[in-house]
Amino acid sequence: MSDLTVDVIDAKGKKAGKAELPGALFDATTNIPLIHQVVVAQLAAARQGTHDTKTRGEVRGGGAKPWRQKGTGRARHGSRRSPIWTGGGIVHGPTPRSYAQRTNKKMIAAALRGALSDRAHDGQVFVVSELVAGDKPSTKGALQALTTVAGDIRKALVVLDRFEDMAWLSLRNVASVHVISVDQLNTYDVLANDKIVFTSAALAAFVAAKTEAGQAEKTEEKDK
């Protein structure tokens, strides 16, 4: 794994330096089966699971036998709540359940590293020093900065630090841009967007958090 370097662009489109993308995060092995498992688990966990149908014991009515057993020429029936009747109960219908699948932290972290590495190898990871200059939000300015940095932003993921208030306000109503906090960055959103744009603050926070987590894992392994 080798570190990657990308140019940092400011809000006016000028080069403001270079940013280092650590190889441990942006040049990792892309394990496609692992990524698939993590994404499926993430989408499954997002399902509410509140669907519910009534069985024949829960629908209303059916206390009396529809008609007598013999002599009518019709088939025998004992209840209007039968599944073959209109308005009757549902057989094997869905009931409330949890769709959550178990995935441990190491799997989730490895899948994210693989997804980011795939985008980085394709040259689709960008860094901007800031999206909005000044103390006032500007959607036009933020979009212009993104276009200058990444080109076509119809499917762009913008990663911000939680304290970048002007950038959040500027991009909150832009349908073509998905904005996410750096501590919420996940595999699915990386794969669902063609281009990943970090602000300098968000990239620094992301690298610091992952480095700290990696050191904690090594400490735990040594203790074992």
Side-chain angles (χ1 to χ4, degrees):
M1 294 182 293
S2 59
D3 295 345
L4 305 177
T5 302
V6 295
D7 293 334
V8 179
I9 308 299
D10 62 15
K12 297 181 180 180
K14 296 181 180 179
K15 185 177 178 180
K18 289 185 176 294
E20 187 175 282
L21 304 179
L25 300 175
F26 294 91
D27 192 26
T29 302
T30 302
N31 188 333
I32 296 178
L34 173 63
I35 291 176
H36 177 267
Q37 182 178 350
V38 170
V39 169
V40 168
Q42 181 178 340
L43 294 179
R47 298 183 64 176
Q48 291 185 350
T50 55
H51 41 43
D52 191 18
T53 56
K54 292 183 178 181
T55 65
R56 63 183 298 161
E58 297 170 324
V59 296
R60 186 178 179 182
K65 187 174 174 65
W67 50 76
R68 67 179 189 269
Q69 183 82 348
K70 296 179 179 295
T72 64
R74 291 180 290 183
R76 54 193 176 187
H77 288 286
S79 174
R80 297 181 186 275
R81 296 185 295 187
S82 171
I84 64 175
W85 280 58
T86 300
I90 301 298
V91 180
H92 305 307
T95 55
R97 56 163 290 192
S98 171
Y99 286 92
Q101 301 178 17
R102 295 188 63 181
T103 48
N104 59 49
K105 293 181 180 180
K106 289 185 178 180
M107 293 172 61
I108 296 173
L112 178 57
R113 291 195 300 267
L116 287 173
S117 299
D118 180 71
R119 290 291 182 264
H121 291 162
D122 291 340
Q124 301 302 317
V125 175
F126 308 92
V127 180
V128 59
S129 60
E130 59 180 357
L131 288 173
V132 181
D135 299 330
K136 293 184 179 181
S138 172
T139 300
K140 181 179 179 180
L143 290 178
Q144 185 175 357
L146 286 175
T147 303
T148 302
V149 172
D152 186 2
I153 57 171
R154 283 179 294 181
K155 293 186 67 177
L157 176 65
V158 179
V159 186
L160 300 177
D161 198 346
R162 287 189 178 272
F163 303 104
E164 296 180 283
D165 295 333
M166 294 302 103
W168 283 104
L169 292 173
S170 299
L171 295 175
R172 59 183 173 177
N173 292 326
V174 181
S176 61
V177 176
H178 182 51
V179 186
I180 193 171
S181 174
V182 63
D183 55 352
Q184 298 295 320
L185 186 61
N186 59 85
T187 306
Y188 173 77
D189 285 327
V190 172
L191 296 178
N193 293 276
D194 295 333
K195 300 182 179 181
I196 316 299
V197 181
F198 285 88
T199 61
S200 296
L203 180 62
F206 177 69
V207 172
K210 295 303 179 183
T211 301
E212 183 179 350
Q215 292 176 349
E217 288 182 5
K218 291 181 180 178
T219 303
E220 290 180 0
E221 292 178 357
K222 288 181 180 180
D223 294 339
K224 291 180 181 179

